[in-house]
Amino acid sequence: MSFRLLLAAFLALGTAGPAAAAEPAKHRFTELAPIPLKPGPNTVERFAPDGRSAIVTLGWRENGNAHGYDLYLVLMAGNSGVPEVVGFDTLTKDGGGFEDTIRDDPHTGEDVVRSVRFVRGKIDGQPGTFVFVAQRGFDPEEGIPGPSLVDYTVFRLVPGEDVGTTSDMFEPVEQVQSTTKFCHAEKALLKQYGLPLTRSYAGPDTADGC
């Protein structure tokens, strides 16, 4: 191979850029702004795109070991005129179920397994209220702290229409998996969607949280 061809090949590799961090996204998310939540009930004004407020209750479920977790319950005025539970369609099409609450899995805090973030923003240019979830996998050889691929699920607040759901619900609108491994779910959300780390972030100061 001539010097010019070698040089061209080298330049092509240099300008290709890093590999994508995850599978191609189905939607374009912009203007994402996390909704700040504190322990206990949080009144969130204009929570829904139609202007309705909500009460998001954040409670800690102690477990006596490293497997406690945060539990989120969302209440919003529904068809009955009183505060109603806003449920989550946890991937019923893939064998999941319909849940009244959603939870994270912080483990020790240094190696968060599952991160849950309530977010305002736009999907394909349309305003919405979302819940972004990053779920790290588990490698028996590495253990929980070890690097693992991440499954991302984005839920969007929509009207509930099917029997067995709630008047308003969070419906999954995107599911993708990372192509790189992470040791902290918050780092995965930062990499994939640009969501800033929480103030309580306690993982390493590295790109993958390892």
Side-chain angles (χ1 to χ4, degrees):
M1 181 181 291
S2 69
F3 173 76
R4 287 185 178 181
L5 289 176
L6 285 171
L7 179 61
F10 175 80
L11 291 175
L13 287 172
T15 57
E23 300 168 346
K26 297 179 181 178
H27 300 282
R28 181 170 176 263
F29 295 96
T30 56
E31 301 180 29
L32 298 180
I35 298 173
L37 299 173
K38 65 181 187 302
N42 297 265
T43 298
V44 183
E45 301 294 339
R46 302 189 66 81
F47 182 79
D50 61 12
R52 283 176 296 161
S53 300
I55 298 175
V56 182
T57 300
L58 167 58
W60 174 253
R61 201 290 195 183
E62 181 56 58
N63 203 35
N65 53 26
H67 297 286
Y69 53 85
D70 292 302
L71 192 68
Y72 301 84
L73 170 67
V74 181
L75 299 175
M76 195 166 65
N79 298 331
S80 64
V82 299
E84 295 184 10
V85 170
V86 179
F88 294 81
D89 180 358
T90 57
L91 312 180
T92 54
K93 294 180 180 179
D94 297 327
F98 195 87
E99 303 291 342
D100 293 336
T101 60
I102 195 168
R103 53 173 280 190
D104 63 11
D105 185 359
H107 195 232
T108 66
E110 298 179 356
D111 54 358
V112 170
V113 176
R114 177 182 169 95
S115 179
V116 174
R117 305 291 297 276
F118 285 75
V119 178
R120 286 192 178 96
K122 291 184 176 180
I123 177 172
D124 301 327
Q126 299 298 315
T129 303
F130 309 94
V131 173
F132 284 73
V133 178
Q135 173 74 54
R136 293 175 50 227
F138 178 72
D139 185 340
E141 295 183 359
E142 296 282 356
I144 293 178
S148 58
L149 296 177
V150 176
D151 289 314
Y152 301 99
T153 305
V154 182
F155 297 88
R156 183 183 187 181
L157 180 63
V158 298
E161 299 179 352
D162 296 333
V163 174
T165 64
T166 48
S167 297
D168 296 276
M169 58 180 275
F170 280 97
E171 177 184 62
V173 293
E174 177 159 290
Q175 295 173 260
V176 294
Q177 186 179 70
S178 69
T179 55
T180 57
K181 294 184 177 182
F182 294 87
C183 297
H184 199 293
E186 282 194 31
K187 283 288 187 174
L189 285 175
L190 173 64
K191 178 69 175 179
Q192 178 69 4
Y193 297 106
L195 294 179
L197 301 176
T198 63
R199 292 183 178 181
S200 61
Y201 178 78
D205 186 20
T206 58
D208 57 7
C210 298

